[in-house]
Amino acid sequence: MYLQNLQQDEIFVSTELKSLKSMTQMESRRGLENAVISNGKIVNVVSNSYGHIPNQLFFAKAEEMLSDARLNYHKRTINKNDRSFITDFIIDDKSQFAVKNDEDLILPMLRFKNSYDGSEKTSGHFGFYRKVCSNGLHVSQDEIEFSIKHSRNNTDLIMPRLNNLFDKFLDNEFYTITKKFDRMKEFKIIDTKEFVKAILDRTKLFRYECSDKNSDPSKKSREVLEILNYEALLLDEEPNLWLGYNAFNSVLHNVLKKSFGQQERLDKKLFDEVYALA
């Protein structure tokens, strides 16, 4: 049932490329000739050589890849201010993995990103979806390569065949990284506050203390601690490094105001720092 309640933002918003001269009746300097309009708002100013890739083209082609590969999937879509967008395809088939607990299920996931404001590269990569926290884990290194061909009046998107890419991911990275998940689960956290403080000292994700004069955990630090303790109770386990990493991951994705690309980079950094304690 949890896969039936995934976030479903509208990502197929209206978009067009319009010359600034036609809008303002004024000349534009070279390199800033056109406005990218998304859902009625100007979100970017670009040159004549810019190749605009509408979500309708990009995400539809990505989904076509999964259909051609005959993969069963559930879809999650996120729209950030009509500027940047993702579609996560969570693969719901036999390729699933329980992290030493039948309730702690991991599924392979493919994420595709696009943006109209230039904040995100049009890209795709493999990752993981965790049932308990309903977050994507972006510790995979496998990118999905495709080519974007720009011409003056058109932008063509050439996608690869997904079958071999997905099989390669499962054979190599999926099972390699999930072994690390298992190892993290073996290391208990004796003092959860000290753990959170140590990871924040290493990553500088946010401040552990409320202020220079108040050494109590800040609001974000308390959220990490609450999620860590809640998941341990939910799964009937002692706090461990795996749950600690996921508590940070949840705050990163749901509380901190970061771009999709920043989330992914910080996710990998968090994972590496927590795993280094194992």
Side-chain angles (χ1 to χ4, degrees), residues 224-225 227-228 231 242-252:
V224 174
L225 290 164
I227 294 167
L228 174 52
E231 288 196 3
W242 168 247
L243 298 183
Y245 157 65
N246 279 286
F248 271 109
N249 178 279
S250 181
V251 170
L252 169 61

Side-chain angles (χ1 to χ4, degrees), residues 227-241:
I227 294 167
L228 174 52
N229 291 326
Y230 171 74
E231 288 196 3
L233 185 65
L234 182 69
L235 295 169
D236 193 23
E237 297 178 351
E238 294 180 56
N240 55 60
L241 294 182

Side-chain angles (χ1 to χ4, degrees), residues 26-123:
M26 299 169 63
E27 293 293 336
S28 299
R29 78 169 175 82
R30 187 176 179 182
L32 297 175
E33 293 93 355
N34 301 299
V36 181
I37 300 172
S38 176
N39 206 15
K41 301 181 288 287
I42 295 176
V43 297
N44 204 359
V45 179
V46 297
S47 71
N48 282 331
S49 63
Y50 173 81
H52 185 50
I53 304 175
N55 290 341
Q56 288 85 338
L57 169 67
F58 180 59
F59 293 124
K61 285 233 178 185
E63 190 158 6
E64 191 178 299
M65 289 170 62
L66 276 87
S67 298
D68 289 346
R70 299 174 183 260
L71 292 172
N72 297 318
Y73 60 87
H74 294 264
K75 189 164 56 174
R76 173 172 62 177
T77 56
I78 301 176
N79 173 344
K80 284 192 176 181
N81 302 315
D82 295 327
R83 294 169 175 262
S84 58
F85 314 85
I86 61 168
T87 297
D88 288 334
F89 296 103
I90 299 155
I91 311 302
D92 184 21
D93 65 3
K94 64 179 186 294
S95 304
Q96 55 188 13
F97 177 86
V99 186
K100 294 194 172 180
N101 187 320
D102 289 341
E103 295 302 312
D104 201 353
L105 194 65
I106 302 291
L107 297 172
M109 179 184 79
L110 292 96
R111 167 165 288 191
F112 291 87
K113 290 185 297 181
N114 195 27
S115 70
Y116 293 158
D117 64 353
S119 63
E120 303 284 354
K121 179 184 175 185
T122 301
S123 62

Side-chain angles (χ1 to χ4, degrees), residues 182-234:
D182 267 343
R183 179 164 173 76
M184 292 165 78
K185 196 117 179 174
E186 294 170 357
F187 284 80
K188 309 303 179 191
I189 298 174
I190 306 302
D191 188 326
T192 53
K193 288 185 179 180
E194 283 302 313
F195 163 77
V196 171
K197 190 173 186 304
I199 294 301
L200 289 175
D201 285 343
R202 290 166 179 246
T203 62
K204 311 300 182 189
L205 190 62
F206 50 83
R207 183 172 180 152
Y208 176 78
E209 302 86 357
C210 286
S211 68
D212 289 339
K213 295 181 179 179
N214 185 349
S215 61
D216 289 340
S218 63
K219 182 180 178 182
K220 294 184 182 73
S221 298
R222 292 197 303 274
E223 287 200 48
V224 174
L225 290 164
E226 287 167 5
I227 294 167
L228 174 52
N229 291 326
Y230 171 74
E231 288 196 3
L233 185 65
L234 182 69

